[in-house]
């Protein structure tokens, strides 16, 4: 093999190795996402068992089943991505093996030529005559060097062939491993699709049961609507307080401009981190931001979630999503303890806590514990909201990573 050919061959192998590493990294990231969804599903299944054991709210059960459906759909989608990543890895690995095979063929062809030349001149007398016919001692030593070089080339070529075969065996073994992993993910995906279909049927059955027994569930539904209205009424008061606080800060800023600069800097930093903020708690979303219809109030459009409801376990720590100042701690009827944290002109709100570990005016940092979650009126979940500088609720999921 020429020097140029060898360099091109090594470069091709290097490029393929980079492609394999990239594909393996993609598979690893997808596996982390899948593990996260599986963790969410485990928590949802635990909550469903608790709901069954205590014969809890049908609406709460419906929320949990719907959350399970969303998590399983996401899990199936991630499985598709992971399978695609495995297929990319397998394709790249096959290409890498093909390059190695080409390299091996070239090495073996060159080695065969060396062997043929050595075989043609295998008679020791020929070698001796080749050396003895030298015109001088210097030429004789050079001819001895040629013979030694030929022997060394044959030995080196044999070693390269052996090393290439060993490397190819390793690559083929890794290829088989990738194929097995890909098949395992496909099997898991098939199982998740079956579970997803089961959850979708269960959600539909719950809705049908609620509608058929409307009188039985009407009280529960009306209580839920009243609870949401009470929450929004309380938060409207908080918005007015926030507006007063903001106006007060502006007045103070006229006396001390540094305070206004600090608030603006914090607001800008918060805004720059949109999509990268940490979640206040680890758990699946039970109810997303926006308007929705209750199974018993399908024609009612005033049901609206101004934040997200996150499923958590009793005792879970609820954490601040960013640096800020505790603006207010209070109790909301039906929503337990609540903490509002200002991040410059932005406000994050954490409701349905059973324990608060901060106080008003206290500075907090990203990830600092604000309190603990626990059952409130029989259900354990975190209601989280995020308000923009105009005190308007925005979709938290577009801000959290």
């Amino acid at each position: 093999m020429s020097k140029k050919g060898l360099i091109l061959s090594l470069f091709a192998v290097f490029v393929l190795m980079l492609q394999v590493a990239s594909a393996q990294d993609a598979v690893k990231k997808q596996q982390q996402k899948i593990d996260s969804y599986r963790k969410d599903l485990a928590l949802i299944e635990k909550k469903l068992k608790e709901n069954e054991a205590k014969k809890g709210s049908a609406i709460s059960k419906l929320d949990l089943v719907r959350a399970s459906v969303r998590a399983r759909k996401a899990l199936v989608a991630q499985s598709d991505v992971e399978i695609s990543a495995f297929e990319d890895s397998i394709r790249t690995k096959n290409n890498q093996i093909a390059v190695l095979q080409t390299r091996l063929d070239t090495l073996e062809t060159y080695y065969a030529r060396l062997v043929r030349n050595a075989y043609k001149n295998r008679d020791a007398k020929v070698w001796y005559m080749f050396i003895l016919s030298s015109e001088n001692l210097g030429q004789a030593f050079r001819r001895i060097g040629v013979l030694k070089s030929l022997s060394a080339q044959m030995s080196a070529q044999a070693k390269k062939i052996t090393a290439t075969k060993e490397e190819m065996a390793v690559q083929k073994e890794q290829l088989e491993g990738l194929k097995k992993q890909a098949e395992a993910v496909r099997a898991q995906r098939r199982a998740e699709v079956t579970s997803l279909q089961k959850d979708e049927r269960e959600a539909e059955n719950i809705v049908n049961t609620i509608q058929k027994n409307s009188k039985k569930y009407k009280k529960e539904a009306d209580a839920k609507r009243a609870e949401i209205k009470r929450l929004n009424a309380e938060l409207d008061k908080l918005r007015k307080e926030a507006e007063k606080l903001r106006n007060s800060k502006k007045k103070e800023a006229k006396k001390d401009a540094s305070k206004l600069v600090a608030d603006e800097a914090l607001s800008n930093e918060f805004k720059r981190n949109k999509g990268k903020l940490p979640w206040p708690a680890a758990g699946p979303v039970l109810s997303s931001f926006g308007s929705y219809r209750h199974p018993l109030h399908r024609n009612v459009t005033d049901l609206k979630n101004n934040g997200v409801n996150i499923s958590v376990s009793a005792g879970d720590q609820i954490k601040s999503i960013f640096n800020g100042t505790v603006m207010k701690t209070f109790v909301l009827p039906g929503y337990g303890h609540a903490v509002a944290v200002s991040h410059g002109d932005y406000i994050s709100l954490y409701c349905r806590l059973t324990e608060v570990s901060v106080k008003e005016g206290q500075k907090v940092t990203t990830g600092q514990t604000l309190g603990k979650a626990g059952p409130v009126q029989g259900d354990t979940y975190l209601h989280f909201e995020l308000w923009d500088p105009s005190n308007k609720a925005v979709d938290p999921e577009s801000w959290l990573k």
Side-chain angles (χ1 to χ4, degrees):
M1 183 185 291
S2 66
K3 185 176 180 181
K4 183 178 179 181
L6 179 61
I7 291 172
L8 289 173
S9 177
L10 290 173
F11 179 74
V13 172
F14 176 70
V15 170
L16 282 169
M17 287 175 68
L18 287 178
Q19 290 175 345
V20 169
S22 176
Q24 288 174 342
D25 185 54
V27 168
K28 185 179 178 181
K29 287 180 179 178
Q30 293 307 321
Q31 187 58 52
Q32 288 173 344
K33 289 183 179 180
I34 285 175
D35 290 343
S36 174
Y37 288 125
R38 290 196 187 286
K39 186 178 178 181
D40 287 350
L41 280 169
L43 178 58
I44 291 169
E45 287 169 1
K46 178 185 173 185
K47 291 293 187 68
L48 280 167
K49 287 178 181 178
E50 290 174 357
N51 184 282
E52 289 290 337
K54 66 183 181 183
K55 296 182 179 180
S57 160
I59 304 304
S60 295
K61 183 178 180 181
L62 180 60
D63 285 342
L64 286 166
V65 174
R66 283 175 171 169
S68 180
V69 168
R70 287 193 297 273
R72 289 198 191 281
K73 282 183 177 178
L75 188 56
V76 168
Q78 287 302 324
S79 294
D80 288 338
V81 174
E82 189 179 22
I83 288 169
S84 178
F86 269 120
E87 288 173 348
D88 288 342
S89 294
I90 290 169
R91 187 163 44 250
T92 303
K93 187 67 70 176
N94 278 322
N95 290 338
Q96 192 172 13
I97 290 171
V99 169
L100 286 171
Q101 185 63 58
T102 301
R103 182 183 175 194
L104 182 60
D105 291 343
T106 304
L107 288 170
E108 287 181 336
T109 300
Y110 182 58
Y111 183 72
R113 190 162 64 244
L114 289 174
V115 171
R116 280 197 302 272
N117 290 335
Y119 180 78
K120 288 178 183 178
N121 301 288
R122 65 188 181 280
D123 191 341
K125 292 179 180 179
V126 175
W127 297 114
Y128 291 143
M129 290 303 297
F130 178 63
I131 296 169
L132 293 174
S133 64
S134 302
E135 294 180 359
N136 53 54
L137 188 60
Q139 189 181 60
F141 277 115
R142 284 195 296 274
R143 289 183 175 183
I144 291 172
V146 169
L147 297 177
K148 286 183 177 179
S149 175
L150 178 60
S151 177
Q153 285 181 50
M154 290 177 65
S155 177
Q157 201 71 3
K159 288 180 180 177
K160 287 179 182 178
I161 289 171
T162 301
T164 303
K165 285 182 176 179
E166 289 174 352
E167 185 179 353
M168 191 146 56
V170 170
Q171 296 299 335
K172 285 182 177 179
E173 185 179 352
Q174 291 178 354
L175 175 61
E176 289 305 312
L178 285 170
K179 287 180 178 179
K180 287 179 181 178
Q181 290 177 34
E183 186 50 43
V185 173
R186 289 189 185 97
Q188 288 176 348
R189 184 191 182 282
R190 288 192 291 270
E192 290 302 338
V193 169
T194 301
S195 297
L196 171 59
Q197 292 168 344
K198 180 183 175 184
D199 284 349
E200 287 176 332
R201 287 194 298 271
E202 185 174 2
E204 188 177 346
N205 289 337
I206 293 172
V207 171
N208 290 337
T209 300
I210 291 173
Q211 289 175 347
K212 286 178 182 177
N213 299 277
S214 58
K215 290 182 179 179
K216 177 182 176 181
Y217 293 108
K218 188 175 186 304
K219 185 178 180 181
E220 180 184 327
D222 289 342
K224 188 70 175 178
R225 290 183 67 205
E227 182 182 298
I228 292 170
K229 287 185 176 181
R230 280 200 306 273
L231 171 67
N232 290 333
E234 290 294 330
L235 296 186
D236 281 341
K237 293 178 184 177
L238 182 61
R239 285 185 176 87
K240 292 176 182 177
E241 288 184 31
E243 187 61 32
K244 287 181 181 178
L245 180 63
R246 191 171 284 117
N247 292 332
S248 176
K249 283 184 177 180
K250 287 179 180 178
K251 288 180 181 179
E252 290 181 13
K254 292 180 180 179
K255 301 176 183 177
D256 186 356
S258 63
K259 290 183 179 180
L260 180 61
V261 171
D263 270 355
E264 286 180 350
L266 185 57
S267 295
N268 291 333
E269 188 180 357
F270 187 88
K271 188 176 181 179
R272 280 195 298 271
N273 278 276
K274 183 178 182 179
K276 296 181 285 186
L277 298 169
W279 283 74
V285 174
L286 294 175
S287 178
S288 296
F289 177 87
S291 300
Y292 64 96
R293 286 182 171 82
H294 190 282
L296 286 179
H297 298 281
R298 289 197 163 187
N299 297 321
V300 176
T301 58
D302 66 342
L303 290 173
K304 184 178 181 182
N305 190 351
N306 287 316
V308 291
N309 295 341
I310 304 169
S311 182
V312 292
S313 297
D316 280 359
Q317 294 183 339
I318 307 304
K319 300 176 180 180
S320 175
I321 62 168
F322 203 70
N323 300 334
T325 303
V326 177
M327 175 184 148
K328 189 176 181 65
T329 63
F330 52 105
V331 177
L332 288 170
Y335 274 78
H337 292 272
V339 177
V341 179
S342 65
H343 314 279
D345 287 332
Y346 291 87
I347 295 173
S348 58
L349 184 66
Y350 314 76
C351 304
R352 297 184 64 87
L353 279 64
T354 53
E355 182 181 320
V356 173
S357 54
V358 291
K359 56 185 179 180
E360 292 181 13
Q362 180 179 337
K363 298 284 185 182
V364 294
T365 56
T366 304
Q368 183 173 334
T369 298
L370 303 175
K372 290 184 180 180
V376 177
Q377 292 190 343
D379 290 324
T380 305
Y381 64 87
L382 171 69
H383 177 76
F384 175 75
E385 293 190 14
L386 184 60
W387 301 349
D388 67 12
S390 65
N391 287 330
K392 180 183 177 182
V394 294
D395 185 358
E397 289 187 74
S398 65
W399 287 76
L400 305 174
K401 62 182 175 182

